[in-house]
Structures are given as structure tokens and as C-alpha cells.
Amino acid sequence: MNFIEIAKMRQSCRNYDENRPVENEKLEAILEAARLAPSACNGQPYHITVCKGEAAKKAAATTMGMGMNKFAPQAPVIIVISEEDYVKTAAFGAKIKNNDYRSIDIGIATAYLTAEATAQGLSTCILGWFDDKKVREICGVDKPVRLVITLGYAKEGDPLRTKKRKAAEELVSYKE
């Protein structure tokens, strides 16, 4: 599968097969893709916590406030990405250039992680709605949690939805 095929297939899954566990070798490939993602000064200012079993259920529960993400407990794996400190060179650049490289780096790592999950035949949903304090307690991290990602196999028959995106002409401009 080439990258464009992966990009066309990847979607936010909200209907997981609760009875189908994620194989360790697939999980390791997904985590390796995230590890290889580029980051400012190669600093990787994030930590990835993999929650399975009871920890996954507890982490999923933190995403369900105000009726949100009711599907999250179906996912057999919850991946939590928390922020870490910059390396010195990236901290200097972020301050001088007034740019939040950590958020960019977390986004890139998440893109690599979710793309590899798709290539492995798995589904994901990136969640920004969660109780930071509770997720930190579950994961044993002391830095801000930035994303929670559900991971698992979509239920059989879960349809591939048509992508709703801006037209290329709206999104891209060329200058010479």
C-alpha cells in the first residue's frame, strides 16, 4: 500500500471490534513508525503511553465527558501522547521564533502512528476531548497530555466513508 492509498483509507473509527485484540507485532510496528517521525532538533518532546486491558478502559472513560466519545471503551488499545520538555536547541528555537514545535512534533508523530496503523489493517481515532488530570493519573505522567488515540480493528462492515476535504484550489497556492 502506498502513502496516498493509506491517506485515502485512514479515517476516524467509532465502531471497534471489542473481541479482536491488537497483535503485539502490529502494535510494535505502529510505535516504531511514531519513533521514527521527524521532530525539531530530533528532540521528540513527547512520551507515548500504551494502555491495554483495564488501563485502556480507564483511559477511555476520561474521554467520555458530556456524552462525548461513547465508542472509546470498545477500543482494545488506548495510546496517550503527553508533552515532554524540549531539548535545549529546540527550546531556544521555539523561544526565538515564537513557534510551538512540541505541538508540531506531536502532530507529526501522530500522523506517522495513525498511517502505520492503517497500513497494518487497524483503525484509529484521535481524541482531543479528555480529562487531562485523570489521564495523567492513569498513565503515571506529570506533563500535559495532548492527545488520546483509540486503536483497534473496526467492526466488520464498518464502511469507508467519503472524505470531505477542501478542493485543492482552496487549499494550495503557487508562487513563482
Side-chain angles (χ1 to χ4, degrees):
M1 191 179 322
N2 69 40
F3 187 77
I4 293 297
E5 292 169 324
I6 291 169
K8 287 179 179 177
M9 289 193 62
R10 197 259 154 215
Q11 65 183 6
S12 295
C13 180
R14 292 179 179 87
N15 195 15
Y16 290 96
D17 183 345
E18 298 177 69
N19 299 313
R20 191 168 177 198
V22 174
E23 299 88 341
N24 285 333
E25 58 275 5
K26 289 186 176 188
L27 181 57
E28 292 303 319
I30 291 162
L31 296 170
E32 180 66 1
R35 188 185 73 80
L36 293 172
S39 62
C41 303
N42 294 317
Q44 298 175 296
Y46 45 83
H47 180 79
I48 299 169
T49 304
V50 178
C51 299
K52 296 166 104 178
E54 191 58 34
K57 297 293 184 205
K58 288 178 181 177
T62 73
T63 71
M64 297 172 60
M66 296 180 68
M68 300 292 286
N69 305 314
K70 293 177 184 176
F71 62 90
Q74 298 173 351
V77 177
I78 302 290
I79 296 174
V80 176
I81 302 182
S82 54
E83 186 176 278
E84 288 291 328
D85 294 332
Y86 283 121
V87 294
K88 288 181 182 172
T89 51
F92 178 74
K95 185 171 183 148
I96 297 297
K97 293 299 180 181
N98 193 30
N99 205 343
D100 181 9
Y101 298 128
R102 277 187 292 234
S103 291
I104 295 166
D105 294 344
I106 288 169
I108 295 168
T110 299
Y112 273 51
L113 185 151
T114 58
E116 182 59 28
T118 300
Q120 294 288 334
L122 292 156
S123 295
T124 56
C125 190
I126 304 164
L127 309 176
W129 184 277
F130 52 85
D131 184 320
D132 179 67
K133 183 179 177 188
K134 288 181 183 176
V135 177
R136 285 189 204 195
E137 289 172 9
I138 292 162
C139 295
V141 297
D142 60 357
K143 299 276 188 349
V145 171
R146 295 299 180 209
L147 293 173
V148 173
I149 303 166
T150 56
L151 173 70
Y153 286 97
K155 278 192 180 168
E156 194 166 326
D158 191 42
L160 184 61
R161 298 179 300 277
T162 303
K163 299 230 181 256
K164 296 176 184 175
R165 302 292 190 265
K166 290 180 179 179
E169 299 78 31
E170 292 180 70
L171 198 58
V172 179
S173 60
Y174 294 89
K175 304 288 183 190
E176 291 187 33

